[in-house]
Amino acid sequence: MHTQLWRYIGKRLLLMIPVLFGLSIIVFLIMALIPGDPAQAILGAYATPDNVARINTQLGLDQPLPMQYITWLTNILQGDFGRSYAQNRAVLDIITERFGATLILAGTALVLCSIFGLLAGIISASRQYGLADKMITFIVLIGISMPAFWLGLLLIMFFAVDLRWLPASGMYSMWGGGGLLDLLRHLILPASTLAFIATGVIARLTRASMLEVLRQDYIRTARAKGLHERRVIYRHAFKAAMVSVVPVIGIQAGFVLGGAVYVETVFQWPGIGSMLVNAISQRDLLLVQGGVLIVAAAYVVFNLLADVVQFILDPRVTA
Amino acid sequence: MSRFMNISNALPLARWFGHRHSRTSPLQLLLRNRLAAAGLIVLIAVCILALITPWLPLHHPNQTALGNRLLPPGSDGHLLGTDHLGRDILARILWGTRVSLSVGISATLVAATVGSILGILAGYFGRHVDNILMRGIDMVMAFPYILLALAIVAVLGPGLLNALYAIAIVNIPFFARNVRGVTVTLRNREFVDAALLSGKGHARILLTEILPNVLPVIVITMSTTVGWMILETAGLSFLGLGAQPPQADLGSMLGEGRRLISTAPHVATIPGLMIFLLVMSINLLGDGVRDALDPRLKAGALRRPAARTRTAPAARQQPTGEPKGLLEVDNLRTEFHLDGQVHQAVNGPTFHIEPGECLGIIGESGSGKSVTAMSLLGLVASPPGIIQNGQVNYQRQNLLGVSDPVLRGYRGGELAYIFQDPLSTLHPLFTVGDQLVEALRAHRPLSYRAAWQEAVRRLEEVRMPNAARRAKSYPHQLSGGMRQRVSIAMALANDPQLIIADEPTTALDVTVQAQILKLLNRLREQKQASLMFITHDFGVVKQICHRVAVMYAGEIVEIGPVEEILARPAHPYTRRLIGCVPSVDYEGGRLAEIPGLPPQVSNLPVGCKFADRCDQVTDQCRAAPIELDTLNERHQARCIFAREVSA
C-alpha cells in the first residue's frame, strides 16, 4: 500500500508539471496583452526613462513573445518574480510575507466547510424530505446566494460592533496581541464567512451522492447482514459517497482561495487577497502577476491533495 | 458554485426538453414547487421595478445633499434613508439594480455566445479542433476563477465594462463544456449524417440541425449561471474594480457603505440585501426548473430507500396458530407505487420451507420471485415498494410486523441472503475480510482480531484458495467465482437456519456455476440449514432442490416435489420452462422458448395470467381468477386443466 501510495503521489507530481506550465502561459499571456507599452504599464507612476530601459532588458520586452516567455519563466523558476515598484520591494518577499495568512484563512475555511458540508449532506440525505432536510436545503440555498462580502459585514456588525465579542479586523491585536489564542479570535469571523458560502456546495453534493449510493446493491447487502441503519449510513454509504465528494472539496479549495479576496478585504486580513486588490488599484502589475501565480499553484496543490485522499479511499484507483 | 453540479444534469435535461409527453408539464411542476414560484414572483417584481425606474417619482440617484447625510430608513421623503453624501438610497438601489441586472445579463450573454460557439465547434468537428479547444478550456478551469477575473481586470484596468468582460471570460468554460457534451452526442445521430449526405454544408448543418437542439442546454446553463455572474460583478465592484463613481451598481454601493458599518449600517446592508434577494430568487427559480425537468427526480427514483420495506398494517398482524415448517409465507402481497401507477409484483404466494429442505423458486425475470424473497426480511426498496398484505411467519412471529431491532437480529443471523451479482452486492471500498468481520460482529460479541480469524476460517470453509491472503483483497481484485464464495461465506457467517439465495450463480460462467452449486448443497447438508433457491433454470432446480414453486406474474402457478413436477408438470407454463432446459439426450433442433411476454404487473388480467401465451386457452380461463388446485397433498397447480394433464 505504501509503495503504491508513493508511486501514485510521484505520478501526480509529474502530471502537475504540464498544468503548472499551462497556468504560467495563461498568466504570461494576460500580462502580455496589456494595451499600450507594457513597460509603461508595469512601472506606472515610476516610469522614468531609466526604469523603462532597465525593465525592458530585464524582462526582454523588446524581444518576440516566445522569447519573452522563456526569459520570464527562467526568472520565475529562479525565484525572481520581479519588483513591485509601488512598494519598491521584490515581489517574492511580499508574497512570502502574506501567503501564510491566506493559507491559514483558506485552510481553516476549507476544513470548516468540509466538516459542516459533509455533516449537513448526510443528515439531509438520511432524512430526505424531512424537516431537517428542508431546513438544511434552505440554509444551503441561502449560503449559495449570499455575497461573501455582505455576510462578512453583517457578522462584523453583529459580533464585533454590537456584541463586541470578537475583533472586527486584522490578524492580531494591535496592542498586547500575538499568540495562538489571539489569532483564533481574529480568525473566527473571516473563516466562518468564507466557510459558510462554500459549505453549501459540499452539502448539496454530499446529499446527492449519498442518495445515489443508498440505492446501490451493496447497501442492501449491508442491511441484509443485520447492520444498524446508523452503521449503514455512516460507514457504508458515507465512505462510498466520499469518493465523489472529495474531488469537489478540491475544487472548493479554488473557490475558497478566490473568495479569500473578498473576505480579506472586508476583514483587513493581511493575506494575498487583500494584497491583490491593492496591487490592482495601484496597477502594480508584477505584484498582481506573482500573487495570481502563487494562489493558482496553491490551488493545484490542494487538488493534488484531494486526489491523494481519493486514492487512499478508493482501492480501485490504480497508481 | 452550484454550477459544478449542473454540468452533469445538462444532458438529461436536454432530452427532457425534447419530448414533453409527460402527464404534468414542467411548467405545472415548477409552479407546484412553492419556493421556485416565490423565486419567480420576486424576480419578476425586481425586473419590473428595474425596467420602470426612470419613470418612478424618485430623487435623482446622484443628487447630493450634505444637510441630509446618513438619514436612517423611514425618514421623511427618504424611505430607505440617505448615504454619506445625502443621496437617496431608494433611488440609488433601484438604479443600481438596473446596472447590476444588465451587467449580469450581458456577461451571461457574452459567455453563453462565446462558450457555445467554442463548444459547438469542438463537439462538431472533434479531433484536433476538439483537442486544442478543450485543452485550452481545461487550462482556464485550472484557475480559481475569481482570481482569473481579477488578473483580467488588473490588465484591462478597473471599470464596469472591464469587469463585465472578466466575468464573462471566466464563465466561458462552463458553457463550452456543457454545449460540447450535447453536440458530441448530436453529431453521432442519424439526422446529421443524413444532412451531410444530402449535400448540406457544415455551416448550414450547424445552424439548422445542431443549434436548435443545443439551445435548451444553453438556456439552462444560462439560468444556472446568471445569478452567479451578478454576484461576481457585484463582488468586483465591491472591491472597487467594477463600477467607478459616479456610476454605481449594487456592489459599489455596498463597497462605499462598508466604512460606515458602525455608524450607519443601512448604507451597506440595504444594497447587500438587494443582491442577496436577486441572486436567491434566481437560484430558487433555477433549482425549481432543474427539479421540474430532471426526469429522475420526477419518477421518485432518487428517493432514498428506507432501512426496511414499508409495510401496511394488514401485513403486520401476528400469527394465531402454529406456523408450518421452518418459515411460512402466507398470501404475501408486495406492490410498487411508481408515477401514480400500482405495480403488483407479488400477488399472494403461499408456501413454507421445511427444516433442512431446499425449496426452488423458479420463474422468468419479472415473475416476482426476487421481490418475494426480499420481502421476507423487508429488503425491498421503499419507496417505491410497499408490502400490502400477508404474513412471513418464523418462530411464531410475523417478520413483517416485528420491531426493527428484532428484524436486524434475524437479518444475517438466522436468516441470511446471498445475492445475484457479487460485484455490485459487495462493498467496493472495504476488504472482503473486513466485510466478513462486520457480518460476524453484528451478531456476536467478538474482538476484531478474533472475528478476523473467524472470517478467514469461513473463507476456507467455502474453499477460498489462500484464504488468509484473500481476506485482505478488495472485491474488484477477485474473480467472479471467488466473489460469490465471499458472499456465501458472509451469508453463512452466523450459521443461519435459512439461506435465501437469489440467483447466486446467474452472473457466473458454467463451470464456476457447478462448483458454487455443489458448495451450497454441501454446506446446506453439513449445517442442516434450509435453502430457498431462486432461479430461472430448471436444470439447477433438478440438481439441488427437493421441492419447487413456479412463479408467474407474482403468483405461484405450480408447487410440488421436483421429481413429480419434472415427470408430470401440471401447468402449461411449467411445461414450457422445463422445455427451455437442454437435456442430455437433446439432439439438435430448436430449444423451446416461450413466445410472448409476461403481462404487465400494472395491469393484470382477471383470469389466468398466462392465458395470452397459452396454447390451450379457453374462454373459461379468462373469465375468473383461477384457484390453486390440489392434485395431491404435496402438489398443487393453478390451471383448470391440471387434473387432465397430470392424471
Side-chain angles (χ1 to χ4, degrees), chain B residues 292-333:
Chain B
L293 293 177
D294 194 326
R296 291 183 309 165
L297 285 172
K298 264 192 61 192
L302 276 181
R303 291 292 302 260
R304 138 186 171 36
R308 177 180 184 175
T309 313
R310 231 174 88 211
T311 308
R316 290 204 291 259
Q317 280 154 18
Q318 288 308 318
T320 42
E322 188 76 14
K324 218 169 159 188
L326 176 74
L327 179 127
E328 180 192 36
V329 175
D330 184 25
N331 191 29
L332 181 69
R333 290 185 185 273

mmCIF file of all heavy atoms in Angstrom, chain B residues 292-333:
data_model
loop_
_atom_site.group_PDB
_atom_site.id
_atom_site.type_symbol
_atom_site.label_atom_id
_atom_site.label_comp_id
_atom_site.label_asym_id
_atom_site.label_seq_id
_atom_site.Cartn_x
_atom_site.Cartn_y
_atom_site.Cartn_z
ATOM 1 N N ALA B 292 -37.944 20.342 -11.910
ATOM 2 C CA ALA B 292 -39.107 20.073 -12.737
ATOM 3 C C ALA B 292 -38.719 19.343 -14.012
ATOM 4 O O ALA B 292 -39.504 18.588 -14.573
ATOM 5 C CB ALA B 292 -39.818 21.381 -13.080
ATOM 6 N N LEU B 293 -37.498 19.566 -14.459
ATOM 7 C CA LEU B 293 -37.114 18.995 -15.752
ATOM 8 C C LEU B 293 -36.360 17.683 -15.611
ATOM 9 O O LEU B 293 -36.296 16.913 -16.561
ATOM 10 C CB LEU B 293 -36.224 19.979 -16.506
ATOM 11 C CG LEU B 293 -36.928 21.248 -16.949
ATOM 12 C CD1 LEU B 293 -35.958 22.180 -17.619
ATOM 13 C CD2 LEU B 293 -38.066 20.917 -17.890
ATOM 14 N N ASP B 294 -35.777 17.436 -14.437
ATOM 15 C CA ASP B 294 -34.981 16.219 -14.311
ATOM 16 C C ASP B 294 -35.894 15.012 -14.137
ATOM 17 O O ASP B 294 -36.557 14.857 -13.115
ATOM 18 C CB ASP B 294 -34.043 16.334 -13.114
ATOM 19 C CG ASP B 294 -32.973 15.263 -13.159
ATOM 20 O OD1 ASP B 294 -33.305 14.159 -13.640
ATOM 21 O OD2 ASP B 294 -31.846 15.516 -12.742
ATOM 22 N N PRO B 295 -35.951 14.139 -15.143
ATOM 23 C CA PRO B 295 -36.896 13.020 -15.095
ATOM 24 C C PRO B 295 -36.631 12.074 -13.928
ATOM 25 O O PRO B 295 -37.535 11.458 -13.411
ATOM 26 C CB PRO B 295 -36.678 12.316 -16.433
ATOM 27 C CG PRO B 295 -35.353 12.786 -16.920
ATOM 28 C CD PRO B 295 -35.150 14.145 -16.352
ATOM 29 N N ARG B 296 -35.373 12.013 -13.477
ATOM 30 C CA ARG B 296 -35.077 11.077 -12.402
ATOM 31 C C ARG B 296 -35.744 11.516 -11.112
ATOM 32 O O ARG B 296 -36.257 10.722 -10.342
ATOM 33 C CB ARG B 296 -33.568 10.970 -12.195
ATOM 34 C CG ARG B 296 -32.871 10.283 -13.339
ATOM 35 C CD ARG B 296 -31.419 10.142 -13.026
ATOM 36 N NE ARG B 296 -30.864 11.436 -12.613
ATOM 37 C CZ ARG B 296 -29.711 11.571 -12.011
ATOM 38 N NH1 ARG B 296 -29.006 10.520 -11.703
ATOM 39 N NH2 ARG B 296 -29.261 12.756 -11.700
ATOM 40 N N LEU B 297 -35.738 12.841 -10.884
ATOM 41 C CA LEU B 297 -36.371 13.336 -9.677
ATOM 42 C C LEU B 297 -37.869 13.121 -9.749
ATOM 43 O O LEU B 297 -38.511 12.789 -8.772
ATOM 44 C CB LEU B 297 -36.079 14.830 -9.521
ATOM 45 C CG LEU B 297 -34.677 15.149 -9.056
ATOM 46 C CD1 LEU B 297 -34.452 16.645 -9.127
ATOM 47 C CD2 LEU B 297 -34.507 14.666 -7.631
ATOM 48 N N LYS B 298 -38.401 13.280 -10.962
ATOM 49 C CA LYS B 298 -39.841 13.174 -11.130
ATOM 50 C C LYS B 298 -40.344 11.782 -10.814
ATOM 51 O O LYS B 298 -41.347 11.598 -10.167
ATOM 52 C CB LYS B 298 -40.215 13.510 -12.578
ATOM 53 C CG LYS B 298 -40.626 14.921 -12.761
ATOM 54 C CD LYS B 298 -41.250 15.084 -14.105
ATOM 55 C CE LYS B 298 -42.482 14.208 -14.227
ATOM 56 N NZ LYS B 298 -42.957 14.105 -15.574
ATOM 57 N N ALA B 299 -39.612 10.774 -11.281
ATOM 58 C CA ALA B 299 -40.075 9.406 -11.109
ATOM 59 C C ALA B 299 -39.963 8.975 -9.650
ATOM 60 O O ALA B 299 -40.431 7.920 -9.285
ATOM 61 C CB ALA B 299 -39.256 8.476 -11.991
ATOM 62 N N GLY B 300 -39.358 9.804 -8.819
ATOM 63 C CA GLY B 300 -39.186 9.411 -7.431
ATOM 64 C C GLY B 300 -38.076 8.400 -7.285
ATOM 65 O O GLY B 300 -37.881 7.816 -6.231
ATOM 66 N N ALA B 301 -37.324 8.174 -8.368
ATOM 67 C CA ALA B 301 -36.275 7.162 -8.330
ATOM 68 C C ALA B 301 -35.139 7.593 -7.422
ATOM 69 O O ALA B 301 -34.393 6.777 -6.928
ATOM 70 C CB ALA B 301 -35.740 6.906 -9.730
ATOM 71 N N LEU B 302 -35.023 8.913 -7.188
ATOM 72 C CA LEU B 302 -33.934 9.370 -6.330
ATOM 73 C C LEU B 302 -34.325 9.353 -4.858
ATOM 74 O O LEU B 302 -33.562 9.766 -4.014
ATOM 75 C CB LEU B 302 -33.495 10.778 -6.730
ATOM 76 C CG LEU B 302 -32.492 10.824 -7.868
ATOM 77 C CD1 LEU B 302 -32.093 12.250 -8.168
ATOM 78 C CD2 LEU B 302 -31.260 10.005 -7.539
ATOM 79 N N ARG B 303 -35.528 8.889 -4.577
ATOM 80 C CA ARG B 303 -35.908 8.782 -3.179
ATOM 81 C C ARG B 303 -34.995 7.782 -2.510
ATOM 82 O O ARG B 303 -34.620 6.767 -3.068
ATOM 83 C CB ARG B 303 -37.362 8.294 -3.060
ATOM 84 C CG ARG B 303 -38.410 9.282 -3.510
ATOM 85 C CD ARG B 303 -38.517 10.497 -2.630
ATOM 86 N NE ARG B 303 -38.828 10.170 -1.244
ATOM 87 C CZ ARG B 303 -40.057 10.258 -0.728
ATOM 88 N NH1 ARG B 303 -41.055 10.625 -1.477
ATOM 89 N NH2 ARG B 303 -40.254 9.982 0.546
ATOM 90 N N ARG B 304 -34.652 8.072 -1.271
ATOM 91 C CA ARG B 304 -33.776 7.166 -0.562
ATOM 92 C C ARG B 304 -34.589 5.993 -0.033
ATOM 93 O O ARG B 304 -35.614 6.186 0.610
ATOM 94 C CB ARG B 304 -33.125 7.929 0.580
ATOM 95 C CG ARG B 304 -33.025 7.224 1.887
ATOM 96 C CD ARG B 304 -32.488 8.205 2.883
ATOM 97 N NE ARG B 304 -32.488 7.813 4.263
ATOM 98 C CZ ARG B 304 -32.276 6.633 4.777
ATOM 99 N NH1 ARG B 304 -32.099 5.607 3.995
ATOM 100 N NH2 ARG B 304 -32.261 6.438 6.073
ATOM 101 N N PRO B 305 -34.135 4.753 -0.290
ATOM 102 C CA PRO B 305 -34.857 3.598 0.231
ATOM 103 C C PRO B 305 -34.710 3.542 1.747
ATOM 104 O O PRO B 305 -33.632 3.787 2.282
ATOM 105 C CB PRO B 305 -34.158 2.408 -0.409
ATOM 106 C CG PRO B 305 -33.182 2.948 -1.384
ATOM 107 C CD PRO B 305 -32.935 4.382 -1.056
ATOM 108 N N ALA B 306 -35.789 3.224 2.425
ATOM 109 C CA ALA B 306 -35.758 3.162 3.884
ATOM 110 C C ALA B 306 -35.023 1.907 4.339
ATOM 111 O O ALA B 306 -34.760 0.996 3.545
ATOM 112 C CB ALA B 306 -37.176 3.172 4.428
ATOM 113 N N ALA B 307 -34.695 1.857 5.624
ATOM 114 C CA ALA B 307 -33.965 0.721 6.171
ATOM 115 C C ALA B 307 -34.777 -0.557 6.030
ATOM 116 O O ALA B 307 -34.249 -1.665 6.078
ATOM 117 C CB ALA B 307 -33.642 0.975 7.630
ATOM 118 N N ARG B 308 -36.079 -0.401 5.842
ATOM 119 C CA ARG B 308 -36.958 -1.554 5.844
ATOM 120 C C ARG B 308 -38.150 -1.236 4.965
ATOM 121 O O ARG B 308 -38.609 -0.097 4.929
ATOM 122 C CB ARG B 308 -37.406 -1.755 7.296
ATOM 123 C CG ARG B 308 -38.367 -2.845 7.482
ATOM 124 C CD ARG B 308 -38.705 -2.899 8.961
ATOM 125 N NE ARG B 308 -39.570 -4.023 9.222
ATOM 126 C CZ ARG B 308 -39.948 -4.371 10.442
ATOM 127 N NH1 ARG B 308 -39.532 -3.686 11.473
ATOM 128 N NH2 ARG B 308 -40.729 -5.399 10.602
ATOM 129 N N THR B 309 -38.632 -2.234 4.245
ATOM 130 C CA THR B 309 -39.754 -2.006 3.342
ATOM 131 C C THR B 309 -40.975 -1.505 4.111
ATOM 132 O O THR B 309 -41.273 -1.992 5.198
ATOM 133 C CB THR B 309 -40.132 -3.312 2.622
ATOM 134 O OG1 THR B 309 -38.948 -3.903 2.129
ATOM 135 C CG2 THR B 309 -41.085 -3.045 1.488
ATOM 136 N N ARG B 310 -41.653 -0.516 3.528
ATOM 137 C CA ARG B 310 -42.881 -0.034 4.156
ATOM 138 C C ARG B 310 -43.901 -1.165 4.202
ATOM 139 O O ARG B 310 -44.058 -1.906 3.228
ATOM 140 C CB ARG B 310 -43.446 1.129 3.323
ATOM 141 C CG ARG B 310 -43.749 2.350 4.157
ATOM 142 C CD ARG B 310 -44.151 3.494 3.265
ATOM 143 N NE ARG B 310 -45.588 3.474 3.018
ATOM 144 C CZ ARG B 310 -46.148 3.910 1.902
ATOM 145 N NH1 ARG B 310 -45.393 4.374 0.932
ATOM 146 N NH2 ARG B 310 -47.451 3.887 1.749
ATOM 147 N N THR B 311 -44.574 -1.311 5.309
ATOM 148 C CA THR B 311 -45.494 -2.426 5.467
ATOM 149 C C THR B 311 -46.837 -1.907 5.955
ATOM 150 O O THR B 311 -46.904 -1.176 6.939
ATOM 151 C CB THR B 311 -44.925 -3.432 6.484
ATOM 152 O OG1 THR B 311 -43.600 -3.761 6.094
ATOM 153 C CG2 THR B 311 -45.749 -4.685 6.523
ATOM 154 N N ALA B 312 -47.899 -2.281 5.241
ATOM 155 C CA ALA B 312 -49.233 -1.837 5.631
ATOM 156 C C ALA B 312 -49.654 -2.557 6.909
ATOM 157 O O ALA B 312 -49.193 -3.661 7.184
ATOM 158 C CB ALA B 312 -50.220 -2.140 4.502
ATOM 159 N N PRO B 313 -50.544 -1.935 7.717
ATOM 160 C CA PRO B 313 -50.964 -2.559 8.980
ATOM 161 C C PRO B 313 -51.507 -3.977 8.770
ATOM 162 O O PRO B 313 -51.281 -4.847 9.608
ATOM 163 C CB PRO B 313 -52.074 -1.627 9.483
ATOM 164 C CG PRO B 313 -51.792 -0.319 8.832
ATOM 165 C CD PRO B 313 -51.123 -0.611 7.527
ATOM 166 N N ALA B 314 -52.183 -4.201 7.636
ATOM 167 C CA ALA B 314 -52.766 -5.516 7.371
ATOM 168 C C ALA B 314 -51.705 -6.603 7.359
ATOM 169 O O ALA B 314 -51.991 -7.762 7.662
ATOM 170 C CB ALA B 314 -53.505 -5.495 6.035
ATOM 171 N N ALA B 315 -50.462 -6.231 7.013
ATOM 172 C CA ALA B 315 -49.412 -7.233 6.902
ATOM 173 C C ALA B 315 -48.633 -7.378 8.200
ATOM 174 O O ALA B 315 -47.688 -8.150 8.280
ATOM 175 C CB ALA B 315 -48.467 -6.867 5.766
ATOM 176 N N ARG B 316 -49.029 -6.614 9.231
ATOM 177 C CA ARG B 316 -48.214 -6.636 10.449
ATOM 178 C C ARG B 316 -48.828 -7.481 11.563
ATOM 179 O O ARG B 316 -48.316 -7.499 12.674
ATOM 180 C CB ARG B 316 -48.000 -5.207 10.948
ATOM 181 C CG ARG B 316 -47.089 -4.397 10.037
ATOM 182 C CD ARG B 316 -46.436 -3.253 10.773
ATOM 183 N NE ARG B 316 -47.396 -2.218 11.138
ATOM 184 C CZ ARG B 316 -47.536 -1.073 10.469
ATOM 185 N NH1 ARG B 316 -46.789 -0.837 9.417
ATOM 186 N NH2 ARG B 316 -48.406 -0.170 10.856
ATOM 187 N N GLN B 317 -49.982 -8.146 11.269
ATOM 188 C CA GLN B 317 -50.631 -8.914 12.329
ATOM 189 C C GLN B 317 -49.824 -10.142 12.706
ATOM 190 O O GLN B 317 -49.250 -10.797 11.853
ATOM 191 C CB GLN B 317 -52.032 -9.331 11.869
ATOM 192 C CG GLN B 317 -53.014 -8.193 12.025
ATOM 193 C CD GLN B 317 -54.157 -8.289 11.067
ATOM 194 O OE1 GLN B 317 -54.395 -9.363 10.516
ATOM 195 N NE2 GLN B 317 -54.844 -7.190 10.871
ATOM 196 N N GLN B 318 -49.814 -10.420 13.989
ATOM 197 C CA GLN B 318 -49.057 -11.582 14.449
ATOM 198 C C GLN B 318 -49.863 -12.863 14.209
ATOM 199 O O GLN B 318 -51.096 -12.847 14.226
ATOM 200 C CB GLN B 318 -48.706 -11.420 15.935
ATOM 201 C CG GLN B 318 -47.640 -10.354 16.188
ATOM 202 C CD GLN B 318 -46.381 -10.555 15.339
ATOM 203 O OE1 GLN B 318 -45.901 -11.669 15.175
ATOM 204 N NE2 GLN B 318 -45.874 -9.471 14.776
ATOM 205 N N PRO B 319 -49.167 -13.972 13.969
ATOM 206 C CA PRO B 319 -49.854 -15.226 13.650
ATOM 207 C C PRO B 319 -50.629 -15.746 14.866
ATOM 208 O O PRO B 319 -50.239 -15.483 16.009
ATOM 209 C CB PRO B 319 -48.713 -16.163 13.273
ATOM 210 C CG PRO B 319 -47.517 -15.606 13.958
ATOM 211 C CD PRO B 319 -47.706 -14.128 14.003
ATOM 212 N N THR B 320 -51.713 -16.471 14.584
ATOM 213 C CA THR B 320 -52.505 -17.027 15.686
ATOM 214 C C THR B 320 -52.108 -18.480 15.935
ATOM 215 O O THR B 320 -51.840 -18.868 17.062
ATOM 216 C CB THR B 320 -54.004 -16.929 15.364
ATOM 217 O OG1 THR B 320 -54.196 -17.295 13.996
ATOM 218 C CG2 THR B 320 -54.486 -15.514 15.600
ATOM 219 N N GLY B 321 -52.042 -19.270 14.903
ATOM 220 C CA GLY B 321 -51.772 -20.697 15.089
ATOM 221 C C GLY B 321 -50.289 -21.017 15.030
ATOM 222 O O GLY B 321 -49.428 -20.139 15.060
ATOM 223 N N GLU B 322 -50.001 -22.277 14.971
ATOM 224 C CA GLU B 322 -48.631 -22.760 14.858
ATOM 225 C C GLU B 322 -48.221 -22.683 13.396
ATOM 226 O O GLU B 322 -48.901 -23.214 12.528
ATOM 227 C CB GLU B 322 -48.574 -24.211 15.335
ATOM 228 C CG GLU B 322 -47.182 -24.780 15.451
ATOM 229 C CD GLU B 322 -46.461 -24.259 16.694
ATOM 230 O OE1 GLU B 322 -47.118 -23.677 17.598
ATOM 231 O OE2 GLU B 322 -45.249 -24.423 16.730
ATOM 232 N N PRO B 323 -47.106 -21.971 13.057
ATOM 233 C CA PRO B 323 -46.712 -21.899 11.644
ATOM 234 C C PRO B 323 -46.222 -23.243 11.114
ATOM 235 O O PRO B 323 -45.778 -24.097 11.879
ATOM 236 C CB PRO B 323 -45.604 -20.861 11.641
ATOM 237 C CG PRO B 323 -45.289 -20.547 13.045
ATOM 238 C CD PRO B 323 -46.217 -21.251 13.943
ATOM 239 N N LYS B 324 -46.328 -23.355 9.812
ATOM 240 C CA LYS B 324 -45.957 -24.598 9.148
ATOM 241 C C LYS B 324 -44.460 -24.570 8.833
ATOM 242 O O LYS B 324 -43.955 -23.563 8.358
ATOM 243 C CB LYS B 324 -46.734 -24.664 7.832
ATOM 244 C CG LYS B 324 -47.220 -26.033 7.444
ATOM 245 C CD LYS B 324 -48.189 -25.854 6.274
ATOM 246 C CE LYS B 324 -48.349 -27.110 5.470
ATOM 247 N NZ LYS B 324 -49.139 -26.863 4.260
ATOM 248 N N GLY B 325 -43.762 -25.661 9.085
ATOM 249 C CA GLY B 325 -42.353 -25.748 8.704
ATOM 250 C C GLY B 325 -41.476 -24.767 9.448
ATOM 251 O O GLY B 325 -41.838 -24.264 10.514
ATOM 252 N N LEU B 326 -40.317 -24.488 8.879
ATOM 253 C CA LEU B 326 -39.371 -23.553 9.496
ATOM 254 C C LEU B 326 -39.837 -22.120 9.281
ATOM 255 O O LEU B 326 -39.820 -21.301 10.189
ATOM 256 C CB LEU B 326 -37.980 -23.748 8.866
ATOM 257 C CG LEU B 326 -36.902 -22.789 9.338
ATOM 258 C CD1 LEU B 326 -36.449 -23.158 10.742
ATOM 259 C CD2 LEU B 326 -35.727 -22.796 8.385
ATOM 260 N N LEU B 327 -40.236 -21.830 8.052
ATOM 261 C CA LEU B 327 -40.684 -20.486 7.708
ATOM 262 C C LEU B 327 -41.877 -20.621 6.777
ATOM 263 O O LEU B 327 -41.879 -21.452 5.875
ATOM 264 C CB LEU B 327 -39.557 -19.718 7.017
ATOM 265 C CG LEU B 327 -39.894 -18.296 6.583
ATOM 266 C CD1 LEU B 327 -38.861 -17.334 7.128
ATOM 267 C CD2 LEU B 327 -39.966 -18.171 5.074
ATOM 268 N N GLU B 328 -42.891 -19.814 7.071
ATOM 269 C CA GLU B 328 -44.120 -19.926 6.302
ATOM 270 C C GLU B 328 -44.477 -18.569 5.714
ATOM 271 O O GLU B 328 -44.496 -17.570 6.440
ATOM 272 C CB GLU B 328 -45.238 -20.405 7.229
ATOM 273 C CG GLU B 328 -46.562 -20.545 6.530
ATOM 274 C CD GLU B 328 -47.689 -20.741 7.540
ATOM 275 O OE1 GLU B 328 -47.623 -20.137 8.630
ATOM 276 O OE2 GLU B 328 -48.616 -21.497 7.225
ATOM 277 N N VAL B 329 -44.729 -18.560 4.417
ATOM 278 C CA VAL B 329 -45.161 -17.333 3.759
ATOM 279 C C VAL B 329 -46.621 -17.481 3.416
ATOM 280 O O VAL B 329 -47.021 -18.487 2.820
ATOM 281 C CB VAL B 329 -44.338 -17.090 2.480
ATOM 282 C CG1 VAL B 329 -44.861 -15.874 1.732
ATOM 283 C CG2 VAL B 329 -42.872 -16.918 2.824
ATOM 284 N N ASP B 330 -47.432 -16.501 3.848
ATOM 285 C CA ASP B 330 -48.860 -16.641 3.645
ATOM 286 C C ASP B 330 -49.414 -15.414 2.933
ATOM 287 O O ASP B 330 -49.360 -14.308 3.465
ATOM 288 C CB ASP B 330 -49.542 -16.834 5.012
ATOM 289 C CG ASP B 330 -51.024 -17.096 4.856
ATOM 290 O OD1 ASP B 330 -51.423 -17.588 3.776
ATOM 291 O OD2 ASP B 330 -51.786 -16.785 5.798
ATOM 292 N N ASN B 331 -49.935 -15.625 1.735
ATOM 293 C CA ASN B 331 -50.656 -14.584 0.999
ATOM 294 C C ASN B 331 -49.887 -13.260 0.935
ATOM 295 O O ASN B 331 -50.412 -12.187 1.202
ATOM 296 C CB ASN B 331 -52.029 -14.353 1.645
ATOM 297 C CG ASN B 331 -52.908 -13.485 0.773
ATOM 298 O OD1 ASN B 331 -52.766 -13.491 -0.451
ATOM 299 N ND2 ASN B 331 -53.776 -12.711 1.386
ATOM 300 N N LEU B 332 -48.621 -13.321 0.590
ATOM 301 C CA LEU B 332 -47.756 -12.137 0.560
ATOM 302 C C LEU B 332 -48.116 -11.247 -0.631
ATOM 303 O O LEU B 332 -48.235 -11.718 -1.757
ATOM 304 C CB LEU B 332 -46.296 -12.581 0.459
ATOM 305 C CG LEU B 332 -45.248 -11.488 0.436
ATOM 306 C CD1 LEU B 332 -45.178 -10.796 1.784
ATOM 307 C CD2 LEU B 332 -43.892 -12.068 0.088
ATOM 308 N N ARG B 333 -48.304 -9.951 -0.348
ATOM 309 C CA ARG B 333 -48.612 -9.025 -1.444
ATOM 310 C C ARG B 333 -47.697 -7.808 -1.384
ATOM 311 O O ARG B 333 -47.791 -7.011 -0.461
ATOM 312 C CB ARG B 333 -50.073 -8.577 -1.373
ATOM 313 C CG ARG B 333 -51.010 -9.703 -1.711
ATOM 314 C CD ARG B 333 -52.450 -9.314 -1.786
ATOM 315 N NE ARG B 333 -53.223 -10.519 -1.989
ATOM 316 C CZ ARG B 333 -53.476 -11.040 -3.191
ATOM 317 N NH1 ARG B 333 -53.030 -10.431 -4.274
ATOM 318 N NH2 ARG B 333 -54.161 -12.153 -3.300
#
